[in-house]
Each structure stands twice: as C-alpha cells, then as structure tokens.
Amino acid sequence: MTTSPPTSPPTPPAPGDPGRRPAEGGSPADRPSRRTPGGAGLIRAPRVFVPAAVLLVAFVAVALAMPGRLGEALTAANTTVVTDLGWYYVLLVTGFVAFAAYVALSPLGNVTLGKDDEEPEFGLKSWFAMLFAAGMGIGLVFWGVAEPLNHFTSPPPGTPAGEPAAARAAMDVTFLHWGLHAWAIYVVVGLAIAYAVHRKGRPVSIRWALEPLLGKRVDGFWGDAIDVVAIVGTLFGVATSLGFGVTQVAAGLGYLDVVDEPTDTLLVGLVIAITAIAMVSVLSGVDRGIKWLSNLNMGLAALLVGAVLLLGPTVFLLSDFVQQIGSYLQGFLRLSFNTYSFQGQAGEDFLAGWTTYYWGWWMSWAPFVGVFIARISRGRTVRQFVAGVMLVPTLVTMLWFAVMGGTALHREIFGGGGLVGEEGVDTNLALFQMLDGLPLGTLLSVVAIFLVVVFFVTSSDSGSFVVDMIASGGDLDPPRWSRAFWASLQGVIAIALLLAGGLSALQTMAILVALPFSVVMVLMVVSTTKALNAEHRAVKRLVRRQLVADVADRVAEEGAADAAAKGAARTGTRAGFRAGSGGTGPR
C-alpha cells in the first residue's frame, strides 16, 4: 500500500551526499558493511540478482508455455491455500496496526531516523506531498468506483437488509481495505529500513532491517534469501497492478468505441506498448523521466477527483466523507478482527476474495513502498514517521473513495441507477459508466484512461528502480540496463498472469507470493522492536549515569563549599582570639 502503486523515489543521491552518508564513529557493528552479495562487476550482487531472475524467468516460461495449466493451478490454490490464509492475514495485519501504535505512542517514538541532531531531509510540505503520491496509483483508479459498488450489490455476509445499510457496509469495508491497516503494513517495512539506513548507515536493502535479530547472518545466505523473497514479491505485486491497469484501459477504449471489444491480443499489446513507454522513462533517468511523470499523474488525479466532486452531488459527497470517517472509527475493532467465521461458505468466499487478497497485495507491495517512504524520511522521529505515513495517505484514499464511490452509490440509491446490470457490477467498466453520467463525461473518461497509463509507467519505472537497488546490494544508483531488465520482466509477468486467468489469477498470485514475505515482516517487527528498545535502554542508562554524575558533582561542590566555610570560620576565630588577646593582656 498501493496501498497502491507509489510514484518514484526521490532522485538517488550521488556518492558522498546526505542520502548516502554512512554512520560515523561508533563500533564496527555500527558502520555499514562494505561487502556486496557476491562481488562487483556487471551484476553487482549476483547472489541476489541471479536467483531472483531465474525464479521469475522460469515462472514466465512455464506460464507462457502452459497458460491453461497455470490457470488451473492458481484456481486450485485459490480454493485451498488462499481460503485457509484468511485468519492468519487478518490477525497479522491487525498486529501490524498495534505495532505501529506502540512505537508511535511509547518513548520509542522519540528515536530519530538519523543522527540525534539531524534535521529532516525534506520539509513537512514536501514530505506530505510525497506520501500523498505514494498513496495514489492504478489500484485507486481501478477500485475507486468498482469496490464500493461490488460491496453494495453483494454486501459482506451478515449485513442488515436495506440499501442504506448495504451502502454503509460497502464504504466501511472499502475504508478497511484502503485505510490504516494497509499503511501499517508499509510502516513495518519502511520503519525497519529507515532505521537501518539512516540511523545505522546500512545500504538500502531489506536484509539490513533484520540485522538486530540475525546479526552477521544477514550478510550471508539468509540475507540473500530475504532479498530474493522481497524482489519476487514486489515484481508480482507490481505486475498485478499493471494487469489491473491494462484491463481497465482496454475496457475504457471499448466503452468509448475506440475498439470493438477488449481481447487478450489487445491486453498484450497494451502491456507491451506501455512497458515500452516505461522503458523510455527508465533510460532517460529519474530526473528527466520519472520525476516529470510523477508530477503529471498527481496533477491528473487531483483534477479527476476534483471534477467529480464539483460535477457530482457535492454536498452529499462531503457529508458522506465526514460521516464515513466516524463510521470507520466506530467499527474499527470489529472490522479489524472480522473473519466471518459464522457466515459459512459465503463468509469464506468474501474473506478470501477481498480482505485476504488486499492484505496479500499490500504485503507484496511492502518492499517497494517501504523503501520509498524510508528513503524520504531521513531526520524524522519514529513518532513523526508513523503518524505521517499512516494518517496522511489514509485521509487521501478515504477522500478518493468517498468522492468516486460515493458518486456511484448516490446514483444507484437516489438517481437513475444503471451502474449495476443483471450480472452485477462490471468491475472494468464501473469507473467509465459513473463518469458517463456526469457533465463532460467523455472528457473525464479520456483523462481517466490517460491517468492509468501514466500510473502504469511511473509504477513500472519506480518499481524496477527499487527492485534493482535491492538486487544490486543496496546500490542507490543501479545500472540502467538492469533497471530496464526488471521493467521488462514486470510487463512479461503481467502478460503471463492475464493469459493464465485474468483478474482472478492476478489476485491469487498476489496473495500467494506475499506469504513468505509475511514471515519476513514478522521478523522485522521483532527486530525493530528489539533495536528501538535497546536504544531506549541505552538512553535511560546514559541519563541515569549523567544524573549520578551531576549529583556527585553537586555533593562534591557542596562539600567543598562547606569545608571552605568551616575553614574560613576557624581562621576567623583564631584571628579574633589573637586580636582579643592583644587588647586585654598586660602591657
């Protein structure tokens, strides 16, 4: 989360600037490792790069050679493994929320992600803007209308009868999937990486987040395995979003009569074309390509949601936004732990198809978004980091869904309807059907298609950039050829999954690949807690020692003063005695 695909990380700093500054002083354990996993050369970290590439290329080869077999395997996995993962993912992600609250509200929140006296690298306004950018992406555009409508049409099991109750439940569950829980997942990874990179001066790599727990083993096999798992999970998470994006673009082109009907050939062609555009951005460099596109997509997103707010039922949307925040907070604990255990098969299907899918999707995105938010948070305290990362993007996504989804629900309940057909909601077309009912609907649909394309490009470029940093042993300026390799591989994976089963295959794969990384995230929680507590205890010891030293100095000063006073008093007494004796004795 992401939540949805984030935009690119800031420009990688050159060697020697603050973004690459190692920790100074301290013990050898506090200074960054100079080793690269496997050595240097064309491939800078072959022990990570090669296994990850081999696994992904092998998957693509199997998927393209036997798409039917892969589709059957994913279907089987969806009906067995994914269904059984629901309770685990629900408990795990709610635990991440509790962890984030604990480190923010406890004294651990005072720790600075950098040197103790270091100022934040980015001002508050710029930092919030980049967090806002990280919260926007293809996922919000794809699901902004479709998810509330799907929940309204097929409410979560146990929802009371009636349209108002169904609409409220639809927005509650949507806010759950895109709210604090999603960003708590990113906090776990982002905080662990930020502490390792900015506080301890380690390279930008997932493995170093576990150093407080694993020690020197992070520089060997286990560290390599952790980075490989992160790369594989991220590539599938990005590919899932890219699959959603081209599916929606194809549906939009069909809705606008640009093409007769979306086909697999069209989807593959769109993936290839848009990946080629992303490749141009990759080769042009972060400054000239991705930075300009990132600013463009944020402007387009603001334009689209602002237009819908003004052209739609404005007062209703603003009222519902305020009311929905209260409804979300009121039902927070119930929603957080709800596994629909008494709802039978309907409950299992809903949990697997929605909540379990989302938690898996966010976890597959966590290395990507975690590196991004860690990179921009140098100089922030842990408390500022958690509050900013969880609250700002959550409010942005809530506003997006309140406007986009709220407009669709208002039309279904109070307007002419037409967004729900005999077979339910057309997830791919829902956005364009909603926009078509507004003034300037065709123009807004064109803007939406262009927005998805730009998000596709920025997600592919920034995703390949982060993956390549990890695959290059934490190098902040990885080679362009390898960045292009990962960008191409993302597109090929998206094609393979689309041919193997479309949206269902994308969702199932996102859940499955997140499972091994969820174990890494649990270890991150333990590792980060251990490191922060150790630092807090060290600070308390220093404070006590300083207090004892201050007291000792004070006692010594008071003792010296008392001794001086007594000495002065004795001297004065003797002087007085001699003077008195001279005045009264015989002459």
Side-chain angles (χ1 to χ4, degrees):
M1 69 135 167
T2 71
T3 80
S4 40
T7 55
S8 170
T11 304
D17 91 350
R20 194 161 181 153
R21 184 170 63 248
E24 298 176 7
S27 66
D30 290 331
R31 290 193 286 271
S33 170
R34 302 296 180 187
R35 296 173 56 192
T36 301
L42 183 63
I43 299 178
R44 300 181 183 180
R47 297 205 318 256
V48 175
F49 189 108
V50 174
V54 168
L55 286 173
L56 291 166
V57 170
F59 170 84
V60 168
V62 172
L64 295 180
M66 298 180 292
R69 292 282 185 88
L70 178 62
E72 293 173 1
L74 291 177
T75 300
N78 189 46
T79 57
T80 54
V81 180
V82 173
T83 301
D84 295 339
L85 287 176
W87 68 271
Y88 168 69
Y89 276 10
V90 167
L91 181 62
L92 185 67
V93 175
T94 302
F96 292 157
V97 176
F99 164 77
Y102 165 67
V103 296
L105 299 177
S106 71
L108 305 183
N110 297 323
V111 175
T112 302
L113 300 174
K115 295 182 179 179
D116 288 330
D117 58 350
E118 189 169 8
E119 293 295 321
E121 184 177 2
F122 297 98
L124 197 62
K125 182 178 179 181
S126 298
W127 188 57
F128 280 153
M130 285 185 283
L131 290 176
F132 173 84
M136 299 295 293
I138 295 174
L140 282 181
V141 180
F142 186 86
W143 291 112
V145 174
E147 182 170 354
L149 271 182
N150 271 285
H151 294 327
F152 174 72
T153 306
S154 302
T159 301
E163 288 187 339
R168 180 57 52 226
M171 295 303 290
D172 282 344
V173 173
T174 301
F175 275 31
L176 169 71
H177 293 156
W178 292 83
L180 295 174
H181 287 70
W183 285 93
I185 293 173
Y186 296 153
V187 162
V188 169
V189 180
L191 179 60
I193 296 173
Y195 182 84
V197 173
H198 301 317
R199 188 72 172 175
K200 295 299 183 181
R202 299 296 188 254
V204 181
S205 191
I206 303 297
R207 68 175 68 207
W208 296 107
L210 297 180
E211 186 182 18
L213 189 63
L214 300 180
K216 294 182 179 180
R217 285 174 290 183
V218 299
D219 215 8
F221 169 79
W222 290 110
D224 298 339
I226 289 166
D227 283 345
V228 169
V229 167
I231 289 172
V232 172
T234 299
L235 262 293
F236 277 108
V238 174
T240 298
S241 294
L242 302 187
F244 286 149
V246 296
T247 301
Q248 191 168 44
V249 169
L253 293 176
Y255 191 76
L256 297 175
D257 293 327
V258 177
V259 297
D260 293 332
E261 184 179 350
T263 62
D264 287 344
T265 302
L266 176 62
L267 294 177
V268 172
L270 286 173
V271 172
I272 294 173
I274 302 176
T275 301
I277 298 173
M279 198 72 65
V280 173
S281 179
V282 167
L283 298 178
S284 67
V286 175
D287 275 332
R288 287 184 291 177
I290 191 63
K291 187 175 182 180
W292 182 84
L293 287 172
S294 298
N295 293 332
L296 175 62
N297 66 20
M298 295 318 303
L300 288 174
L303 174 65
L304 182 62
V305 75
V308 174
L309 176 61
L310 294 176
L311 297 175
T314 306
V315 175
F316 169 83
L317 297 177
L318 294 176
S319 299
D320 185 53
F321 175 57
V322 173
Q323 178 175 296
Q324 188 53 46
I325 292 176
S327 180
Y328 170 69
L329 295 176
Q330 183 180 19
F332 184 79
L333 288 178
R334 175 182 56 81
L335 292 167
S336 298
F337 290 95
N338 196 353
T339 60
Y340 305 96
S341 54
F342 290 107
Q343 305 301 327
Q345 188 61 47
E348 291 183 3
D349 292 343
F350 183 88
L351 187 66
W354 290 101
T355 306
T356 305
Y357 152 67
Y358 270 118
W359 295 166
W361 192 20
W362 299 152
M363 281 188 276
S364 67
W365 270 96
F368 180 3
V369 183
V371 169
F372 173 83
I373 61 179
R375 172 64 184 84
I376 66 176
S377 298
R378 173 186 285 274
R380 299 284 168 194
T381 66
V382 170
R383 184 171 295 111
Q384 291 171 338
F385 178 90
V386 174
V389 170
M390 289 189 71
L391 297 181
V392 173
T394 293
L395 287 174
V396 170
T397 53
M398 283 181 172
L399 178 62
W400 179 276
F401 278 101
V403 172
M404 307 299 283
T407 300
L409 292 177
H410 182 273
R411 186 179 306 171
E412 283 299 308
I413 298 174
F414 304 109
L419 299 178
V420 180
E422 294 181 359
E423 299 181 0
V425 178
D426 189 328
T427 300
N428 296 328
L429 287 177
L431 171 65
F432 303 106
Q433 292 171 336
M434 183 275 289
L435 294 176
D436 192 43
L438 299 174
L440 305 176
T442 301
L443 177 61
L444 292 177
S445 294
V446 173
V447 171
I449 292 175
F450 188 65
L451 178 62
V452 173
V453 172
V454 176
F455 272 133
F456 189 129
V457 174
T458 53
S459 297
S460 178
D461 190 346
S462 52
S464 61
F465 175 81
V466 170
V467 165
D468 204 18
M469 278 200 300
I470 299 172
S472 299
D475 190 345
L476 291 174
D477 190 17
R480 290 184 179 179
W481 76 264
S482 54
R483 206 183 308 175
F485 168 77
W486 295 115
S488 302
L489 196 53
Q490 289 169 7
V492 176
I493 293 172
I495 291 173
L497 290 174
L498 286 170
L499 295 179
L503 295 181
S504 177
L506 292 169
Q507 291 176 318
T508 302
M509 205 66 202
I511 297 170
L512 293 177
V513 298
L515 182 59
F517 192 70
S518 71
V519 178
V520 176
M521 292 185 66
V522 172
L523 297 177
M524 282 183 172
V525 168
V526 177
S527 181
T528 305
T529 304
K530 179 181 179 181
L532 292 177
N533 274 312
E535 189 156 331
H536 178 59
R537 287 193 298 270
V539 170
K540 289 175 66 176
R541 285 195 297 270
L542 289 175
V543 170
R544 283 198 300 268
R545 290 173 185 172
Q546 186 62 48
L547 181 61
V548 170
D550 291 344
V551 170
D553 291 343
R554 183 66 179 271
V555 170
E557 291 174 0
E558 291 179 353
D562 288 345
K566 290 178 181 179
R570 285 196 297 271
T571 302
T573 300
R574 288 196 295 270
F577 175 75
R578 287 195 297 271
S581 298
T584 59
R587 295 179 182 271

